[in-house]
Structure formats: structure tokens, C-alpha cells
Amino acid sequence: MNANPLATVGLMLTLAGLVGSFFNIQLSQWLRDLVAVAQKVKLNKAQGNDNQQKAIVECKIEIEKLANVQSYVINGLVLAFVVFVLVNGLVMIEAASADPLYPHVHRALWVFLWFFIAVSLWLSFDGWRIARGIRTTLAQKP
């Protein structure tokens, strides 16, 4: 039985789409949380009263929770997995290059692959940059 690779690649697209979408939602939430911590640090960095000192301690705890090695490793692994699934889908559809829909599916896969990589890396590096800025500000004396 010969299965049409274009029909089979639907499973790969579904898997990549679901995991990729949830991953980018998680990255967006992570970035929003980092921005919130950065703002809290900015507002309380003077540490002039007890409330500001408590807020800075909370920020130190929060930044360790949000920006640790495990977070970066998991983000990298999920990114690599989705890229693997998409590249595997591209390889799978090569057998259907004579199909009239092949160019459209091939182009869509490439566009999704590059879009996913670009957005994921942008969110990841922006989060890393914000976390580094927070740590620098927290390390400074008031």
C-alpha cells in the first residue's frame, strides 16, 4: 500500500502546530512575567523603606524562578523538537514532488519553519536580555 506523503505529512503539521503554538504561548507568558519583574525592580530599586526592600527580595526570588538553566534548556529542547518535526515533514513530502499540491505544501512548511524559529528565538533572546538586565540591576547597591 502506497500512502500519499502529502496526506501523511498532516500528522507532522498537526504535531508541530500544536507543540509550537503552546511553546510560543508559554514563551510569551514567560516574557510578560520577566517584563513585570523588571518593572517591579525599577520601581523599588531605591529600597528606601521596608516595603521596597521586601519587593526587591521578591524580585530576586522571582528572577531565579523564571530565568534558570532548566528554563533555557527546556526552551531549547522544545524548539529543537518542533524544528525536527518540521524538517522531517519536509523530507517526507519529497516523495510527492510530482503532486500538483506539492509546491504549496512545501512552501507552507518552509514558511512555518522559519516563522516558528524566528519568533521563538526572538522571544527567547529578548527574555534572556531582560533577565540579564534584572540581575544587573539587582546586583547594584541602592
Side-chain angles (χ1 to χ4, degrees):
M1 178 172 133
N2 285 334
N4 182 346
L6 292 180
T8 309
V9 80
L11 175 63
M12 304 303 281
L13 290 173
T14 301
L15 179 61
L18 284 172
V19 174
S21 296
F22 285 124
F23 178 59
N24 278 321
I25 290 169
Q26 182 269 335
L27 278 178
S28 296
Q29 182 61 47
W30 175 68
L31 189 59
R32 281 191 297 274
D33 291 345
L34 285 169
V35 168
V37 172
Q39 186 63 29
K40 190 173 182 179
V41 168
K42 184 178 175 182
L43 293 172
N44 293 289
K45 68 182 175 182
Q47 299 182 41
N49 60 42
D50 285 343
N51 288 336
Q52 287 178 323
Q53 289 174 359
K54 288 177 186 175
I56 290 296
V57 169
E58 290 171 4
C59 290
K60 288 178 180 179
I61 293 167
E62 194 67 21
I63 193 64
E64 292 305 316
K65 181 177 93 174
L66 290 171
N68 55 55
V69 173
Q70 293 84 358
S71 296
Y72 295 119
V73 169
I74 293 293
N75 289 346
L77 289 174
V78 173
L79 174 63
F81 175 73
V82 174
V83 169
F84 165 76
V85 170
L86 289 170
V87 169
N88 193 36
L90 284 163
V91 171
M92 285 173 60
I93 66 168
E94 286 297 320
S97 59
D99 191 298
L101 292 177
Y102 170 79
H104 304 289
V105 174
H106 188 257
R107 187 175 325 117
L109 273 171
W110 274 109
V111 168
F112 183 74
L113 174 65
W114 289 113
F115 177 79
F116 175 77
I117 290 171
V119 169
S120 298
L121 290 178
W122 170 53
L123 291 171
S124 297
F125 285 121
D126 205 29
W128 174 79
R129 181 189 56 80
I130 291 169
R132 188 181 58 171
I134 293 168
R135 284 196 168 102
T136 301
T137 302
L138 289 173
Q140 297 170 352
K141 296 293 179 189

